[in-house]
Amino acid sequence: ETGVTQTPRHLVMGMTNKKSLKCEQHLGHNAMYWYKQSAKKPLELMFVYSLEERVENNSVPSRFSPECPNSSHLFLHLHTLQPEDSALYLCASSQEIRGGGETQYFGPGTRLLVL
Amino acid sequence: AQSVTQLDSQVPVFEEAPVELRCNYSSSVSVYLFWYVQYPNQGLQLLLKYLSGSTLVKGINGFEAEFNKSQTSFHLRKPSVHISDTAEYFCAVRDAGGTSYGKLTFGQGTILTVHP
């Protein structure tokens, strides 16, 4: 595997379910991100991790819970979601977060549908 | 805080024609600028970025963009498009001061459709 991978690629869940999204980066980067891409809206940054420490939580509801056990893996735990949470969830990684000009590399995303 | 406006939500064009995708930004501080492309069912891929230096930036797949500080614009251009350029294109900005924890602010995207 190369780059940034995400599993599953598609997920359908009910509002009472609990599920997790997984992201893995094979680039040796130190920072990882979760973004939400909804129809007709710009990409929204949800969480940023640097060296496994969360450095930004962009006012995301508590029904989304991130976990970063090491610099290569990032999870997004989901519980009691709402239909408006249906979206494409993108994971990204970069070498660092402080430089400013570093490129973020994106995974293919998980398409989530909440019924 | 920054904001990004992509002036066209959809741009249809014929194959081998030139194209320009427009992007304007607003920021009270210096910024870095990026263009990403998203092909169907894929994640975002960096096309090019402006950090400093020459205001004309060349990227992959024959794309280029010009940073215009006075007009706060970063328009993307390609002199001759191919069918394979059909995708959604996103302009993004980031605080150049390095204090924003990697936060990219994205525009709403422009869907480029290349017709044969």
Side-chain angles (χ1 to χ4, degrees):
Chain A
E1 291 279 14
T2 58
V4 180
T5 57
Q6 291 186 242
T7 55
R9 293 292 309 275
H10 301 272
L11 179 62
V12 179
M13 58 187 289
M15 289 190 286
T16 58
N17 291 157
K18 291 183 180 181
K19 296 286 184 183
S20 295
L21 311 184
K22 178 183 176 183
C23 174
E24 184 173 1
Q25 60 95 0
H26 309 268
L27 301 168
H29 289 164
N30 294 318
M32 297 186 78
Y33 312 76
W34 278 117
Y35 285 88
K36 177 182 178 183
Q37 185 177 25
S38 306
K40 309 293 186 186
K41 293 176 68 174
L43 275 80
E44 304 169 60
L45 179 66
M46 299 175 72
F47 301 103
V48 181
Y49 277 83
S50 176
L51 296 171
E52 302 129 54
E53 178 182 347
R54 189 192 306 179
V55 295
E56 176 114 344
N57 174 357
N58 226 24
S59 302
V60 179
S62 60
R63 58 185 183 269
F64 295 92
S65 175
E67 178 189 1
C68 189
N70 56 63
S71 59
S72 297
H73 293 85
L74 185 65
F75 295 88
L76 188 62
H77 304 297
L78 316 171
H79 64 98
T80 59
L81 294 191
Q82 304 299 312
E84 60 264 28
D85 297 321
S86 299
L88 181 68
Y89 289 84
L90 292 164
C91 174
S93 72
S94 66
Q95 181 60 45
E96 58 180 12
I97 62 171
R98 298 278 187 181
E102 71 282 351
T103 298
Q104 292 184 19
Y105 293 82
F106 286 79
T110 294
R111 176 74 62 185
L112 174 67
L113 177 62
V114 181
L115 300 176
Chain B
Q2 293 93 33
S3 67
V4 179
T5 302
Q6 291 185 240
L7 297 158
D8 305 294
S9 60
Q10 297 194 51
V11 173
V13 65
F14 287 108
E15 193 173 20
E16 297 183 8
V19 71
E20 177 179 82
L21 306 184
R22 297 180 293 169
C23 172
N24 285 91
Y25 69 93
S26 173
S27 176
S28 58
V29 299
S30 295
V31 296
Y32 296 136
L33 295 151
F34 305 78
W35 273 100
Y36 280 85
V37 61
Q38 186 177 30
Y39 298 104
N41 300 314
Q42 296 186 30
L44 278 69
Q45 177 184 2
L46 182 72
L47 274 178
L48 48 80
K49 61 184 177 183
Y50 172 78
L51 304 182
S52 64
S54 172
T55 56
L56 183 62
V57 180
K58 293 190 182 296
I60 62 171
N61 301 340
F63 284 93
E64 63 182 31
E66 185 154 21
F67 170 54
N68 188 319
K69 187 174 182 180
S70 62
Q71 297 186 8
T72 60
S73 67
F74 191 54
H75 301 331
L76 181 71
R77 301 186 183 99
K78 185 169 182 178
S80 176
V81 295
H82 302 290
I83 298 287
S84 59
D85 292 322
T86 295
E88 190 161 16
Y89 292 78
F90 294 93
C91 182
V93 302
R94 192 206 154 158
D95 173 5
T99 59
S100 58
Y101 301 112
K103 179 178 180 179
L104 285 170
T105 300
F106 284 88
Q108 292 193 295
T110 297
I111 297 174
L112 174 65
T113 304
V114 181
H115 297 282

